[in-house]
Amino acid sequence: MKKTPLYLFFALLACACSRKITLAPNPVVPSEGQLRYQEQELIGFIHFTINTFTDKEWGFGDESPALFNPSQLDVEQWVSVAKEAGLKQLILTAKHHDGFCLWPSSYTEHSIKKSPYKNGQGDIVKEFTEACKKYNIKAGLYLSPWDRNHAAYGTPEYITYYRNQLTELLTNYGPIAEFWVDGANGGTGYYGGANEERVIDRKTYYDWDSTFYLAKKLQPDILIFSDAGPDIHWIGNEKGFAGETFWSMMDLNRVYIGTPETDYLNTGDPNGTSWVVGECDVSIRPGWFYHKNQDSLVKTPQQLVDIYYKSVGRNGVLLLNIPPDQRGLFHEIDVKNLKEFRSILDETFSTNLAEGAEASVSTGVGANLILDKNPSTFWAAKQNDRNADIIIELNKPTSFDRILLQEPIRYGQRVSKFNIQGEVNGNWQDIISGTTIGYKKLLRIDPITISKIKIQILEANNTPALSNFGLYKASNRE
Ligand code: FUL
């Protein structure tokens, strides 16, 4: 998150030295929680509320809770499908902009307790967190700052209400891995019957520092997402695409919740002073909520795979939304496409064709550690070097069309320019070049059959290091 504390600097140095590889960490490195979060790669979003029943994306705030009546709600279906698809965490809209609460909050009547669901005795946040626990998936919650139902929205009283609700959510439901803070803020709404427009000062109204302090006090391991971090940030679009160049660092003084500089969020900042993981959110459907007339528009497995390459394959985490329908179930088409998406990824990435190869390097030691399947071991160049050639000799001519590179980001993100060559008829030929690598870089190329590959690290902000290298043949369903 912040600057490397001194003790961590020496601990990492000692640990690297014990493997005879000296690698001093960068000034900006991820926290342990951010590392674990990034390693999840793929997580899910669940947009479900009164909008599911009114066929809207943004409720006005005047919807009757009586409309919320899922006929076959099965939270375990969501969680088990997500688990099978390889999603490691799910985030539920506990409250969206319309203000309706999926849990029986003590601070409002505009909630599930006034709905027919379980005769007002239901608590979907409880069902959700319990199902996540049962399936060993992490649970996160979305609590919309904008509340189009609440009469006091726009006044300090509403901030107290928001914090009270956050306190309920972070106290009563066990560990919450992520607190998702949306950027949409202020505008027209019901506001307790006022039916008017309310404009707030996005930079000052919420006093986010105090709310985030409260969240971390209640759940010390929680990671906070927003347009502006502090732990995880929006990628700047809702297509799920990170920039081809993407740094996990940023200058937190440059970004604000609700007024994001989207290009900056999409590329990160090589000179950023804080580590903030990029989260790429996108819905499996055109809308975030379920709409029957979008059943034919569910993203295909191939579209989802493309998004995976542009998010996870560009050093981001993919947050994929799957909205339950009016029954309270993931729709059959979504389930089918999600399963096929998983199966394509599994087929493509099941065999690393570089396994068993020999690696040699122009500088540093431990070349073979990039082929050992262990993400915590790595090759590093000699301390003062900023470029390097790594040659991988395969046992036989091998056909591939996908390349994977990983940096040991525990030490920071370093590489800013690389090139990959292949030996064709005794000559080195360029295959593909790129900029950043970070936690994971996936490259798609035309199929090629060769037995010698050269990774050229051309520029880095510190001693370059790689933890993993892979070659794959894409599934023909991609
Ligand atoms: C946006 C919201 O306005 C959408 O309704 C949705 O929740 C999306 C994930 O974030 O800012």
Side-chain angles (χ1 to χ4, degrees), residues 308-324:
Y308 177 85
Y309 281 105
K310 290 172 175 162
S311 52
V312 177
R314 291 181 180 174
N315 185 35
V317 168
L318 172 54
L319 173 58
L320 177 62
N321 179 61
I322 311 122

Side-chain angles (χ1 to χ4, degrees), residues 45 47 57-58 96-97 142 180 182-184 238 281 288:
F45 223 169
H47 275 68
E57 277 293 304
W58 282 8
H96 202 253
H97 310 330
Y142 174 123
W180 214 91
D182 185 71
E238 292 184 341
D281 64 335
W288 290 101

Side-chain angles (χ1 to χ4, degrees), residues 171-220:
T171 308
N172 300 334
Y173 298 98
I176 301 299
E178 183 171 346
F179 167 32
W180 214 91
V181 176
D182 185 71
N185 268 311
T188 56
Y190 173 70
Y191 304 126
N195 288 310
E196 60 187 14
E197 179 163 7
R198 292 197 179 162
V199 179
I200 49 108
D201 180 340
R202 294 170 182 218
K203 287 190 187 166
T204 55
Y205 176 54
Y206 291 103
D207 176 19
W208 283 118
D209 284 351
S210 306
T211 302
F212 293 166
Y213 178 80
L214 170 69
K216 298 236 173 195
K217 199 173 94 188
L218 297 170
Q219 298 251 354

Side-chain angles (χ1 to χ4, degrees), residues 253-274:
N253 294 318
R254 226 180 117 162
V255 283
Y256 300 94
I257 300 176
T259 45
E261 235 186 279
T262 51
D263 290 347
Y264 185 69
L265 295 180
N266 199 241
T267 57
D269 184 347
N271 303 313
T273 44
S274 297

Side-chain angles (χ1 to χ4, degrees), residues 244-261:
E244 283 206 51
T245 296
F246 184 63
W247 296 97
S248 298
M249 293 93 79
M250 64 161 40
D251 176 358
L252 287 179
N253 294 318
R254 226 180 117 162
V255 283
Y256 300 94
I257 300 176
T259 45
E261 235 186 279

Side-chain angles (χ1 to χ4, degrees), residues 460-475:
N461 61 26
N462 199 344
T463 315
L466 290 180
S467 56
N468 227 342
F469 173 76
L471 298 174
Y472 304 90
K473 182 83 197 76
S475 157

